[in-house]
Amino acid sequence: MHHLVFPFTLVLSSIFTVNAYPSLGVDPLASETYPQIKARQVIPEIPPKPSTSGPGSFHGSQFEFLEQTGYAPAIDAMPVWMFSRTQKEFSPCAPEGGTDKTGNAPNPGTDVGASASPGEDCTDVGPQPSGPYTLANPFPTYVGASWCGNLGEWRMQFYNYYVHDGILSELGHKHDWEGIVVKWKKDPEGDWWHRA
């Protein structure tokens, strides 16, 4: 898995989804993995941006070859994650990696504790905030791009993994993925896209 470190201690990792790129004709039952097939693909040269496209527009190949073209649309649309404390003494549950420390197995997660603190048995978010927008400890954010042919748009997904969600054993559950989706609409000319 590839990680990039971004300002504000955000880390992105590429998620490969076979059905995201119908133009490749990928058979999900084939013996090759999607990254192996993708590695064989030739990344098309990005043409000059038309004058009708703004600075936040990206070429379609930058979505299709997200990792190989430097994650430019993901960096542009990168969310700012905000974590609040329900009370001073209760820390929120911070995101962490979706795999174990070796990267070879899913994160085992933790059971929801018996206390009212949502951050019990979670990775520490960081120091007590010293004011609005206090930076937290680094954590991974997973990103992927998908072509939604029936809607004629690209969608970029940003996800965080939490070892559990909720408070008190009966009000929560082990493992939680939270995220957002950013939609991209076509510019007037060519294969250029902007955030919707």
Side-chain angles (χ1 to χ4, degrees):
M1 195 174 294
H2 303 279
H3 297 275
L4 298 175
V5 178
F6 291 99
F8 306 110
T9 65
L10 185 63
V11 180
L12 275 71
S13 298
S14 182
I15 297 176
F16 297 99
T17 51
V18 171
N19 61 356
Y21 309 100
S23 62
L24 295 178
V26 176
D27 177 0
L29 302 177
S31 59
E32 284 187 290
T33 65
Y34 184 69
Q36 289 170 328
I37 294 168
K38 197 69 173 168
R40 286 200 329 260
Q41 299 289 312
V42 175
I43 301 169
E45 187 174 326
I46 298 172
K49 191 182 291 189
S51 60
T52 55
S53 293
S57 293
F58 295 91
H59 192 261
S61 63
Q62 290 176 285
F63 295 92
E64 187 169 350
F65 295 93
L66 186 63
E67 182 179 3
Q68 296 91 329
T69 58
Y71 296 93
I75 294 167
D76 185 74
M78 178 175 54
V80 174
W81 302 106
M82 307 291 275
F83 301 98
S84 65
R85 295 177 189 268
T86 52
Q87 295 177 6
K88 274 189 172 182
E89 65 270 16
F90 295 150
S91 291
C93 192
E96 57 184 76
T99 61
D100 66 6
K101 291 180 181 168
T102 66
N104 297 321
N107 188 316
T110 61
D111 290 319
V112 178
S115 80
S117 176
E120 185 177 326
D121 294 327
C122 286
T123 299
D124 186 21
V125 152
Q128 188 68 262
S130 57
Y133 307 109
T134 300
L135 293 181
N137 290 332
F139 59 86
T141 291
Y142 298 88
V143 63
S146 300
W147 169 248
C148 298
N150 59 329
L151 300 172
E153 62 190 24
W154 281 99
R155 292 197 176 183
M156 188 158 289
Q157 309 85 23
F158 296 88
Y159 289 103
N160 291 332
Y161 169 78
Y162 299 84
V163 292
H164 69 251
D165 184 31
I167 59 171
L168 308 174
S169 304
E170 62 275 359
L171 298 177
H173 56 87
K174 187 188 274 194
H175 305 297
D176 191 43
W177 286 92
E178 299 288 343
I180 64 164
V181 175
V182 177
K183 296 192 309 186
W184 298 76
K185 296 285 186 183
K186 195 164 183 350
D187 283 356
E189 293 182 51
D191 189 19
W192 291 88
W193 301 80
H194 63 276
R195 279 186 278 168

